[in-house]
Amino acid sequence: MHIHDLIASAPLDRGGAVPLFRQLYSRLKDAILRGALAPGARLPATRDLCRLLGVSRQTVLAAYEQLTAEGYLRGGVGQGTFVDAALPLARQEKPAPGLLRPLPERGAAIAAAMARVRSHDGPVRAFRPSMPGLDLFPFDVWRKLEMRQLRRPGPHLGYSEPSGHAPLRELLCAYLRASRGVECTPGQVVITSGSQQALFLLAQLLLAPGDGVWVESPGYQGAYAPLAVAGARLCTVPVTAEGMDVAYAAQHYPDARMVFATPSHQLPLGTTMSLARRLDLLRWATDNKAWIIEDDYDSEYRYTGPPLASLQGLDRAGCVVYVGTFSKVLFPGLRLGYVVAPPALAEPLARAKAVVDRHSAIVPQAVLADFIAEGHFARHIRRTRDAYGERRETLLDALEDRLGDRLRCGPSDAGLDVCAHFKPGRDGRLPDEARVAQAALAAGIELRPLDYYANGAAGPECAVTPGLVLGFSAVGPADIRRGVDELAQVFRAEEAASSKAA
């Protein structure tokens, strides 16, 4: 290709954000790599090219110098500028539309593991599930603490221990002992990039391919993914009013090596595991030398009394690994979680963490430590617990008033959501979850059908009455009432359509 043709086919954008010399550099580099400028080809002198392009000579010089430094061009004063003849002849092939080769089995499993997990986009609306009220967070306080950390650079801004920022682990340990009855020392705490990373690390560290893991169904979709990627055999366990059915699991999956459980507040059904079942679970795990992963994701929020003590606090055999997150009590974008591991597991877990990302970001950890130490954390929990309690009551009252004949609310004394099961309509049939959820989204309401939380491998013993999961923490009472009005209209429209179809 002649240089005039190259310039004509890809003119420089003089109004663009990319500097002209970078544009020229990119065009020449691309022409060399695809063979339009062959090895040994002579380029115009800088003075000639700058006149041809209508740019300064410095622009052309900068582009030539960069290409020379990277090995594409050679030459010197009085010699001219050439494409380096030592470069291999480019093959004029179009890039393949797909991957170079199919992903290996492990790679394909990782890529597909979170396919069912859905993220919410756009502004927060009623009734986005499992979302804290960002309108209640003291971002001004957080910003001041963050700036204070950045104004005093020191060792804490360098590389850190994989287990996390020591002051934060000490404060977190004291908080968990006081509020959740967790028995721990700072040396047992490992800070992670959210609870999702914690589950991934624990699955990789503690499970061999084929190991059985008890999982609640319906349950948290994000937990299924790291377990499946580790090659675990997911053993689905039904959930009753007392929580995970331990007797069923022990009978059907006696050889399991791990249990994933949410004793304080089960997602999505909202149940709390009874003390009898907690003790049965601990007894079975102790006898079988099985691990229990206790996911305590939103335990700070209980509206009918103080937060319940953790399962970990009852453990005397060192089989419970306690996992928590700050996503629900602060904000999800913070991406900080933690693991309280049995003493013998803490160091291997920290080393595994170092393989993945060396350590979680230190500045947010240091800011959070100050946030806790100065009392802001405790005040925020008190404030949000009161606000969420009001929002919860607003939702329950509005649902009873507008949709009491169509929905039956499950336990809602903890957490950020309520599960509302369908009641039969006048024709005796239950609404279609997916259709209701889609119609609600079209009406500007965010919610999730209960089927979203089901495990595909679960049998009929795990079936529950269809329904919806509605979050009440993300928006205020007025938006909640408007949302219930919209949802009532959705139900009326669905009922009319069902009657017409019949």
Side-chain angles (χ1 to χ4, degrees):
M1 175 183 285
H2 194 276
I3 195 69
H4 291 81
D5 298 327
L6 173 65
I7 293 168
S9 64
L12 303 181
D13 180 8
R14 298 176 187 276
V18 179
L20 292 176
F21 92 90
R22 294 295 303 184
Q23 294 184 44
L24 178 58
Y25 154 84
S26 297
R27 284 158 177 73
L28 292 174
K29 175 182 173 181
D30 178 68
I32 294 169
L33 289 175
R34 58 188 171 84
L37 290 175
R42 182 174 186 137
L43 271 67
T46 55
R47 295 182 186 277
D48 294 338
L49 188 55
C50 73
R51 283 195 297 269
L52 181 64
L53 294 173
V55 297
S56 71
R57 186 167 177 243
Q58 188 58 41
T59 295
V60 178
L61 281 170
Y64 278 17
E65 287 173 0
Q66 185 66 33
L67 290 164
T68 301
E70 294 181 10
Y72 293 98
L73 304 180
R74 64 172 179 81
V77 178
Q79 299 177 357
T81 303
F82 300 84
V83 177
D84 194 331
L87 292 176
L89 200 62
R91 297 176 63 182
Q92 306 242 5
E93 295 179 353
K94 291 184 178 180
L99 291 171
L100 182 65
R101 59 170 64 111
L103 292 173
E105 184 177 351
R106 181 170 59 88
I110 293 174
M114 294 285 280
R116 285 206 66 197
V117 178
R118 295 287 178 263
S119 299
H120 295 284
D121 298 319
V124 178
R125 300 174 289 181
F127 304 95
R128 182 173 292 186
S130 303
M131 182 71 182
L134 299 183
D135 58 316
L136 301 173
F137 187 77
F139 285 104
D140 54 339
V141 172
W142 186 270
R143 190 178 305 111
K144 290 176 182 177
L145 296 175
E146 186 173 54
M147 291 307 299
R148 188 172 71 190
Q149 285 291 336
L150 294 173
R151 280 197 300 267
R152 55 180 189 196
H156 69 290
L157 296 184
Y159 289 106
S160 178
E161 290 297 319
S163 53
H165 189 52
L168 175 59
R169 290 188 289 122
E170 292 171 5
L171 289 162
L172 184 57
C173 190
Y175 165 73
L176 292 173
R177 281 200 302 262
S179 68
R180 304 290 299 116
V182 172
E183 298 290 337
C184 65
T185 65
Q188 293 176 246
V189 178
V190 177
I191 304 298
T192 61
S193 299
S195 60
Q196 194 67 35
Q197 186 189 64
L199 296 177
F200 176 81
L201 291 172
L202 292 168
Q204 294 293 324
L205 197 62
L206 302 178
L207 294 172
D211 282 352
V213 181
W214 296 0
V215 294
E216 301 159 332
S217 184
Y220 172 48
Q221 287 288 339
Y224 300 152
L227 298 172
V229 166
R233 174 170 46 92
L234 299 185
C235 305
T236 55
V237 182
V239 179
T240 72
E242 292 187 71
M244 173 184 277
D245 192 334
V246 176
Y248 174 93
Q251 178 184 354
H252 289 81
Y253 315 113
D255 61 340
R257 303 303 301 273
M258 180 182 284
V259 178
F260 175 82
T262 54
S264 296
H265 179 231
Q266 203 274 338
L267 181 73
L269 299 179
T271 59
T272 297
M273 185 179 286
S274 67
L275 177 59
R277 287 209 176 163
R278 291 177 186 231
L279 295 175
D280 283 345
L281 178 58
L282 286 169
R283 188 178 302 112
W284 179 88
T286 300
D287 292 344
N288 291 273
K289 292 183 168 54
W291 296 102
I292 300 174
I293 309 300
E294 179 182 10
D295 186 4
D296 216 20
Y297 63 99
D298 63 2
S299 59
E300 290 84 2
Y301 297 112
R302 185 170 178 82
Y303 309 107
T304 57
L308 300 177
S310 65
L311 182 69
Q312 192 267 5
L314 300 173
D315 178 25
R316 297 296 177 266
C319 62
V320 176
V321 185
Y322 183 90
V323 175
T325 179
F326 292 104
S327 294
K328 302 298 185 286
V329 69
L330 299 181
F331 54 96
L334 183 60
R335 303 314 305 147
L336 283 180
Y338 52 89
V339 177
V340 178
L345 179 61
E347 185 175 350
L349 179 62
R351 290 176 178 175
K353 160 79 175 170
V355 173
V356 174
D357 63 356
R358 183 65 183 270
H359 59 74
S360 297
I362 297 301
V363 172
Q365 293 186 61
V367 174
L368 179 54
D370 289 347
F371 192 76
I372 296 173
E374 296 180 14
H376 305 296
F377 185 70
R379 282 192 293 274
H380 179 63
I381 290 176
R382 288 195 298 269
R383 181 188 180 199
T384 50
R385 189 182 289 139
D386 290 344
Y388 296 166
E390 179 188 5
R391 295 175 182 189
R392 165 183 169 270
E393 289 295 335
T394 299
L395 176 60
L396 294 177
D397 290 346
L399 289 175
E400 177 62 29
D401 181 56
R402 299 299 310 278
L403 287 164
D405 60 333
R406 305 309 315 274
L407 294 173
R408 172 181 56 82
C409 293
S412 62
D413 55 345
L416 310 179
D417 316 306
V418 61
C419 178
H421 299 275
F422 291 148
K423 292 181 179 179
R426 287 193 293 268
D427 57 3
R429 293 186 295 181
L430 295 173
D432 181 86
E433 285 183 348
R435 197 164 60 235
V436 170
Q438 186 175 4
L441 187 61
I445 308 167
E446 294 187 52
L447 44 79
R448 282 201 169 122
L450 194 49
D451 181 64
Y452 170 82
Y453 299 91
N455 185 289
E461 69 280 352
C462 293
V464 296
T465 304
L468 307 170
V469 176
L470 309 173
F472 54 76
S473 52
V475 298
D479 287 327
I480 289 173
R481 284 188 284 268
R482 281 194 294 269
V484 172
D485 288 343
E486 293 288 347
L487 186 58
Q489 293 182 31
V490 167
F491 270 92
R492 285 197 295 271
E494 288 297 308
E495 190 171 71
S498 178
S499 299
K500 185 177 181 180

